[in-house]
């Protein structure tokens, strides 16, 4: 899973497989971070949380 | 005890007493699962009827089946957020909840199946990147994270929780970027559905499962994806219909259900054309090359050719022909029947690929063998269903799952 684990090899298989895995995790984490940041900004600006309407 | 202040705005639900009685029934099933899980972990997998022949049993059948049926979440999400089919927004919440239940239930069940759940991390840490199962493991767990992220805004929209400004804002902003999660989920789900099929297709020592393919992917890789996205929307719609019947309330318009039926119809038809072609090629080319005939594989044991007719005929061609007709989709009952048959086909396909290859002798001294699960195996399987019933019942009672419910039940 990480280069520190003994069976890790710097080969195409590991690059593609682990690269896509970390990309997916990065997108999920990045999306959550964006939503969290926007929430903080809205809270600080004193907006009404229900002005966005029902989803 | 009055919990109506937690219900979504403008709807009614059954009395708390009736709801609690229903929960007690589900908890009873969970108790059976708890006892079974305790025995399997405390005493070991000798509590099951799996053996040296059947390393896979009913748990893997149920696992693969619910993961296929849960594909309604990723495919409906893809259609709603990426392809912008706005009418599906009326059913996407239900699809996400069902997907969450299916995937989390499957992972809980796998925790017991691996025998030592405390060592479950091993497959992640020491990943074999050439294994189809490793891809399945990584994709399923990562997709479950996506499903949790998709489920969170719905939970935060509970009438009382939504009064907290921080949480209301967070739910809103998660909604705004849902397309990112939907696209990621589609990518992950596409590959693990495929790898579940690929896992069987590469078993060259098991002629029943082995298939030719393209590059590193056997045809089963693509067929499993297709059968999952054909049956997933049907399963989601069936659960909504069942909830309508139990609650006595309309939850989505029939037009939305018909659209889901139409999606299933086209995908199922496309899948069947390829599946039948694959079966013919396998029977006439692949098997003879391996020194066996189609008849050899059904010549003994409890798993006869009737399974082929059931899977491809009654649970394949019949629901496809039914769902393709607008008249059938317009009928609530007939569409439900066709969708049940479609879902049975996906379950049957997973059963056939999981159990049958292991039952057929591949060495000269072997015989056809059969398998029936022990009560502990049934217990864990029933527990996953009970878990699903509990989560969906709670979600329906307290969360605004169906945007059209208030309007459809006016007066």
């Amino acid at each position: 899973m990480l280069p520190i684990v003994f069976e890790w090899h710097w080969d195409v298989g590991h690059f593609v497989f682990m690269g896509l895995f970390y990309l997916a995790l990065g997108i999920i984490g990045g999306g959550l971070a964006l939503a969290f940041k926007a929430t903080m900004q809205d809270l600080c600006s004193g907006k009404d949380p229900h002005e966005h309407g029902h989803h | 005890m009055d919990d109506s202040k937690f219900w979504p705005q403008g709807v009614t639900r059954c009395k708390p007493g009736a709801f609690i009685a229903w929960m007690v029934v589900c908890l009873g099933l969970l108790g059976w699962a708890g006892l079974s899980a305790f025995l399997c972990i405390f005493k070991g997998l000798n509590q099951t009827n799996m053996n040296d022949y059947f390393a896979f049993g009913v748990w893997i059948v149920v696992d693969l089946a619910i993961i296929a049926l849960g594909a309604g979440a990723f495919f409906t999400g893809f259609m709603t957020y990426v392809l912008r089919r706005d009418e599906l927004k009326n059913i996407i919440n239900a699809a996400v909840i069902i997907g969450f239940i299916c995937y989390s239930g499957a992972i809980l069940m796998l925790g017991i199946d691996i025998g030592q759940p405390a060592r479950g991390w091993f497959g992640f840490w020491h990943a074999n990147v050439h294994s189809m199962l490793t891809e399945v493991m990584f994709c399923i767990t990562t997709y479950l994270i996506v499903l949790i992220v998709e489920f969170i805004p719905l939970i935060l929209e509970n009438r009382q929780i939504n009064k907290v400004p921080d949480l209301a804002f967070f739910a809103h902003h998660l909604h705004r970027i849902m397309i990112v999660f939907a696209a990621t989920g589609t990518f992950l789900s596409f590959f693990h559905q495929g790898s579940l099929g690929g896992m069987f297709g590469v078993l060259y020592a098991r002629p029943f499962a082995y298939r030719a393919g393209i590059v590193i992917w056997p045809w089963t890789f693509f067929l499993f994806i297709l059968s999952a996205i054909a049956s997933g929307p049907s399963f989601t719609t069936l659960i909504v219909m069942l909830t309508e019947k139990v609650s006595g309330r309309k939850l989505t318009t029939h037009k939305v259900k018909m659209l889901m039926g139409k999606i299933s119809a086209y995908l199922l038809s496309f899948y069947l054309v390829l599946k039948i072609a694959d079966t013919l090629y396998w029977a006439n080319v692949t098997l003879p090359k391996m020194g066996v005939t189609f008849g050899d594989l059904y010549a003994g044991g409890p798993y006869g050719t009737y399974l082929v007719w059931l899977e491809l005929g009654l649970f394949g061609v019949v629901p496809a022909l039914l769902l393709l007709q607008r008249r059938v989709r317009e009928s609530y009952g007939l569409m439900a029947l066709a969708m049940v048959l479609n879902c049975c086909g996906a379950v049957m396909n997973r059963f056939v690929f999981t159990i049958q290859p292991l039952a057929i002798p591949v060495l000269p001294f072997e015989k056809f063998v059969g398998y029936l699960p022990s009560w502990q195996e049934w217990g864990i399987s029933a527990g996953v269903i009970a878990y699903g019933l509990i989560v969906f019942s709670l979600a329906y009672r307290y969360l605004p799952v169906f945007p059209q419910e208030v309007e459809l039940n006016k007066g």
Side-chain angles (χ1 to χ4, degrees), chain A residues 3-55:
Chain A
I4 55 168
V5 184
F6 71 88
E7 74 273 356
W8 180 276
H9 295 290
W10 293 102
D11 57 15
V12 177
H14 278 78
F15 269 116
V16 172
F17 188 94
M18 300 312 296
L20 289 174
F21 172 62
Y22 287 122
L23 179 69
L25 282 186
I27 291 171
I28 298 166
L32 283 173
L34 264 177
F36 188 72
K37 187 183 161 215
T39 302
M40 286 295 137
Q41 281 173 343
D42 281 353
L43 280 173
C44 294
S45 67
K47 277 185 190 170
D48 174 11
H50 298 102
E51 73 184 26
H52 303 297
H54 186 74
H55 305 288

Side-chain angles (χ1 to χ4, degrees), chain B residues 51-290:
Chain B
N51 50 38
D52 289 346
Y53 282 100
F54 289 99
F56 286 167
V58 70
W59 292 338
I60 295 296
V61 176
V62 175
D63 247 34
L64 299 196
I66 60 177
I67 281 177
L69 298 176
F74 97 83
F75 199 69
T76 314
F78 173 70
M79 299 278 290
T80 309
Y81 296 111
V82 181
L83 299 186
R84 300 277 178 192
R85 292 301 299 256
D86 282 344
E87 55 270 54
L88 293 178
K89 282 189 175 168
N90 298 311
I91 205 167
I92 183 66
N93 290 337
V96 166
I97 296 168
I98 292 163
F100 168 79
I101 290 166
C102 290
Y103 278 77
S104 54
I107 289 176
L108 285 172
M109 194 181 237
L110 282 174
I112 307 299
D113 201 1
I114 59 175
Q116 297 203 34
R119 296 186 185 178
W121 60 274
F122 204 88
F124 293 92
W125 194 247
H126 301 286
N128 171 9
V129 298
H130 304 291
S131 162
M132 293 273 187
L133 266 183
T134 305
E135 189 183 338
V136 170
M137 188 172 61
F138 274 66
C139 284
I140 285 181
T141 41
T142 313
Y143 182 51
L144 180 60
I145 298 172
V146 171
L147 282 168
I148 292 169
V149 173
E150 288 180 343
F151 195 1
I152 285 173
L154 188 62
I155 296 170
L156 298 183
E157 278 175 13
N158 170 273
R159 214 161 113 196
Q160 298 303 322
I161 297 175
N162 203 244
K163 287 178 182 170
V164 183
D166 315 37
L167 300 178
F169 276 131
F170 191 56
H172 168 73
H173 289 297
L174 279 180
H175 264 298
R176 280 183 55 201
I177 55 166
M178 202 48 82
I179 185 174
V180 175
F181 298 117
T184 311
T186 303
F187 166 78
L188 291 166
S189 217
F190 193 85
F191 272 93
H192 78 248
Q193 295 283 2
S195 290
L196 280 171
M199 181 181 79
F200 294 111
V202 296
L203 295 175
Y204 57 84
R206 299 271 176 192
F208 187 87
Y210 180 73
R211 293 293 189 279
I214 181 165
V215 196
I216 59 167
W217 298 288
W219 296 127
T220 45
F221 181 95
F222 306 100
L223 291 172
F224 266 53
I225 297 169
L226 280 172
S227 72
I229 59 177
S231 59
S234 281
F235 186 67
T236 302
T237 314
L238 271 177
I239 298 293
V240 173
M241 289 169 126
L242 192 64
T243 313
E244 283 185 332
K245 287 291 166 201
V246 171
S247 65
R249 296 175 65 79
K250 285 182 184 168
L251 302 176
T252 67
T253 58
H254 194 64
K255 206 176 154 191
V256 173
K257 297 184 196 89
M258 281 175 68
L259 177 60
M260 294 290 270
K262 196 175 175 182
I263 293 168
S264 270
Y266 286 121
L267 290 169
L268 182 62
S269 306
F270 182 52
Y271 161 71
L272 278 171
V273 169
L274 297 184
K275 174 72 182 169
I276 291 169
D278 169 73
T279 305
L280 289 173
Y281 185 84
W282 166 74
N284 294 300
V285 180
T286 310
L287 287 180
K289 268 189 196 168
M290 301 179 92

